[in-house]
Amino acid sequence: MRYVSTRGQAPIRDFSGVLLAGLAEDGGLYMPEQWPELSAADWRTLRGLPYPELAARVIAPFAEGAIDFETLRSMCHEAYAGFGHPAIVPLVQLDHELFAQELFHGPTLAFKDLAMQLLGRLFDHVLRQQDRRVTIVGATSGDTGSAAIEACRDRERLDVVILHPLGRTSEVQRRQMTTVRAANISNLAVEGTFDDCQDLVKAMFADAPFREDMQLSAVNSINWARVAAQIPYYVAAALALGAPDREIAFAVPTGNFGNVLAAWGARRMGLPITRLNVGSNHNDILARFLGANDMSVRGVTPSLSPSMDIQVSSNFERLLFELLGRDANACAAIMTGFRREGRMAVPDAVWRDATSLFHGLTLDDAHTTDEIRRLYGEAGYLADPHTAIGIAAARAGRIPGTPTVAMATAHPAKFPDAMRTAVGFAPDLPKHLADLYQRDERFRVVPNRLDAVEDAVRAAVLKNAA
Ligand SMILES: *Cc1c(COP(=O)(O)O)cnc(C)c1O
């Protein structure tokens, strides 16, 4: 499988190439040159497979020519072996036609483990093949950093440096990063905001000599391999509920648009997915786009669902590219206009096309709390704030006769304060994290300056090279 950039000016790469590159050189995102398509008969043969087997078969066409099937298959088995539920991604029925698919049984209790656990292994494999080492740098406001750290800890050919904003992540999220004891993991607490952290990461990538010297790489949600690794759970849910012989809808609480883009990918591969509901908190750029073709950037304010507190949904560019009939020039023009103006000029026909499949719902914090309380009262189900927004979007967009599956993206124990407010108690952390609050933390505080952060990254890498 070959990959092209959504902006048309970057080298064509294979799966290993896009894995290591992350962002394309022209500022675009990599997409498969051709989508694999499965017939109804093909889908039926996948029914009933254990999740790691299903994942290997769904991901295989994307990795073709770069990773052989047996290697991919054993990586999928290893990636999901440590999950806390034998079904890996269990479905829970909430009412007659509404289901939650729990994606939070991985080591860090959020859906990002599903892709990241595989990515850590893919990186190690490809770097061994190429006899290289890389330094993964990333900025996190919460779940991405811990998922990356858990997936990459103790991997031979990776150093990982994660920047988080000092004092601005939740305690559970911070501790999940700073209590990991592995020589190749470093945490930097930046005296600034999440946006400052992101800008510092971008500035490190833009510093060509430093980038080359440190062999920088990224595992953020624009990495194609993450999207590919998220497609299998949509396939698993759809097959379990009767696809390809029955239509299915999904609902996804959305920030960077990566998770729901994987649902779109499952549809593009041939599953009869008839609606994609996306839920936002009050940082609602996507819902405003779907409601009124208003994709304009406003300031981000903190919410109960911090992993969705963003103003630019990076992966939307991939959908835009497809809806523009893969016209990379048009896509590049719209995206540079968006950077410049803070408002995306999406052609009306494209917007209409998007709204025929995607429905948006915005839920503010008060209504999110109400939804958590209602779900617990009516269905006995404990949903974290992100999941509650997804379930509310599922209810708002339901199609009678079609089952809707809402993605449960985080374990409720990750957000104890929100749960106490909504239902009066906080669920316990699973056993493997039960002593999280007693573990020693390790992180280094750094000023919000590029030279200071680069020095800290260099020091972390040199320590391990020695
Ligand atoms: C990252 C995250 C999201 C948003 O996912 P995107 O792929 O960025 O849309 C939603 N919920 C949780 C719990 C997350 O960690």
Side-chain angles (χ1 to χ4, degrees):
M1 174 74 72
R2 289 158 28 113
Y3 290 83
V4 296
S5 164
T6 51
R7 302 193 192 176
Q9 302 294 322
I12 289 176
R13 291 192 157 96
D14 71 355
F15 184 77
S16 301
V18 299
L19 174 76
L20 297 184
L23 195 70
E25 282 85 343
D26 58 3
L29 276 55
Y30 276 108
M31 285 291 273
E33 196 166 50
Q34 261 180 340
W35 283 92
E37 285 178 38
L38 280 71
S39 67
D42 295 335
W43 290 120
R44 285 187 206 108
T45 64
L46 299 177
R47 271 188 191 145
L49 287 175
Y51 187 74
E53 290 289 327
L54 177 74
R57 283 169 177 75
V58 172
I59 298 166
F62 295 105
E64 205 204 305
I67 316 258
D68 69 87
F69 182 71
E70 279 312 316
T71 305
L72 180 64
R73 188 169 170 223
S74 68
M75 280 193 274
C76 287
H77 276 276
E78 284 174 27
Y80 304 121
F83 276 54
H85 194 293
I88 316 294
V89 288
L91 283 173
V92 177
Q93 187 158 12
L94 299 177
D95 75 24
H96 170 51
E97 288 177 332
L98 180 61
F99 298 79
Q101 187 174 35
E102 294 185 341
L103 305 178
F104 54 68
H105 294 285
T108 72
L109 313 182
F111 88 92
K112 292 183 176 72
D113 288 327
L114 266 304
M116 214 67 95
Q117 282 292 320
L118 186 60
L119 240 68
R121 288 166 172 85
L122 285 166
F123 261 89
D124 233 16
H125 174 75
V126 172
L127 292 170
R128 220 175 308 126
Q129 276 182 329
Q130 303 185 0
D131 191 22
R132 285 179 58 193
R133 279 187 78 82
V134 297
T135 305
I136 288 175
V137 294
T140 190
S141 59
D143 294 333
T144 304
S146 57
I149 286 171
E150 274 303 327
C152 299
R153 61 189 293 175
D154 299 319
R155 299 210 169 273
E156 248 173 72
R157 288 171 179 272
L158 296 173
D159 286 302
V160 180
V161 182
I162 299 293
L163 280 59
H164 71 264
L166 177 66
R168 290 175 196 247
T169 56
S170 83
E171 185 172 6
V172 177
Q173 289 176 321
R174 186 191 72 241
R175 285 183 165 274
Q176 283 186 309
M177 297 191 283
T178 58
T179 61
V180 171
R181 292 186 174 268
N184 69 332
I185 304 294
S186 307
N187 283 285
L188 301 182
V190 175
E191 293 173 325
T193 63
F194 171 61
D195 286 334
D196 293 331
C197 294
Q198 259 192 323
D199 288 344
L200 286 163
V201 169
K202 280 190 200 137
M204 282 191 272
F205 274 93
D207 179 348
F210 181 77
R211 175 181 181 159
E212 180 58 31
D213 223 27
M214 295 292 112
Q215 292 282 297
L216 293 191
S217 195
V219 291
N220 50 12
S221 83
I222 50 97
N223 194 306
W224 167 259
R226 277 184 62 181
V227 177
Q230 289 166 178
I231 297 174
Y233 47 77
Y234 291 100
V235 175
L239 295 180
L241 295 176
D245 306 300
R246 187 184 187 199
E247 294 180 340
I248 308 285
F250 287 104
V252 190
T254 304
N256 246 324
F257 208 73
N259 201 0
V260 71
L261 189 90
W264 186 89
R267 179 175 188 269
R268 182 67 189 74
M269 291 171 75
L271 281 175
I273 296 168
T274 51
R275 181 166 293 172
L276 293 173
N277 300 293
V278 298
S280 307
N281 60 37
H282 58 244
N283 300 299
D284 62 346
I285 185 165
L286 275 168
R288 281 185 285 121
F289 165 69
L290 291 169
N293 198 0
D294 170 22
M295 182 85 91
S296 58
V297 175
R298 295 183 188 163
V300 171
T301 55
S303 76
L304 290 178
S305 43
S307 298
M308 291 153 50
D309 288 346
I310 62 148
Q311 51 178 340
V312 177
S313 298
S314 316
N315 275 292
F316 181 77
E317 181 168 347
R318 291 191 157 111
L319 178 70
L320 181 65
F321 175 70
E322 294 285 356
L323 296 180
L324 290 166
R326 302 197 141 221
D327 180 341
N329 289 333
C331 189
I334 291 174
M335 292 310 298
T336 39
F338 182 47
R339 278 265 165 265
R340 201 176 49 232
E341 319 274 339
R343 189 170 190 290
M344 197 182 292
V346 179
D348 229 43
V350 168
W351 172 67
R352 260 174 233 293
D353 203 5
T355 56
S356 68
L357 178 65
F358 291 89
H359 284 219
L361 177 80
T362 302
L363 215 61
D364 64 17
D365 281 356
H367 286 95
T368 302
T369 302
D370 288 347
E371 179 70 14
I372 296 172
R373 192 177 297 128
R374 192 195 63 78
L375 274 164
Y376 186 59
E378 288 177 14
Y381 192 69
L382 274 181
D384 96 288
H386 305 77
T387 301
I389 290 174
I391 293 174
R395 291 200 298 126
R398 68 199 303 167
I399 307 168
T402 300
T404 300
V405 184
M407 296 296 128
T409 53
H411 193 293
K414 260 192 126 155
F415 301 95
D417 297 339
M419 300 312 292
R420 272 186 214 106
T421 305
V423 295
F425 70 97
D428 289 337
L429 283 164
K431 243 188 273 150
H432 75 279
L433 288 171
D435 64 344
L436 187 67
Y437 290 97
Q438 281 80 52
R439 294 182 195 168
D440 287 339
E441 291 190 80
R442 264 192 222 166
F443 58 88
R444 179 165 162 190
V445 178
V446 287
N448 177 17
R449 280 199 337 261
L450 182 61
D451 61 325
V453 171
E454 287 190 344
D455 284 348
V457 171
R458 197 174 276 117
V461 171
L462 285 178
K463 180 189 69 182
N464 286 334

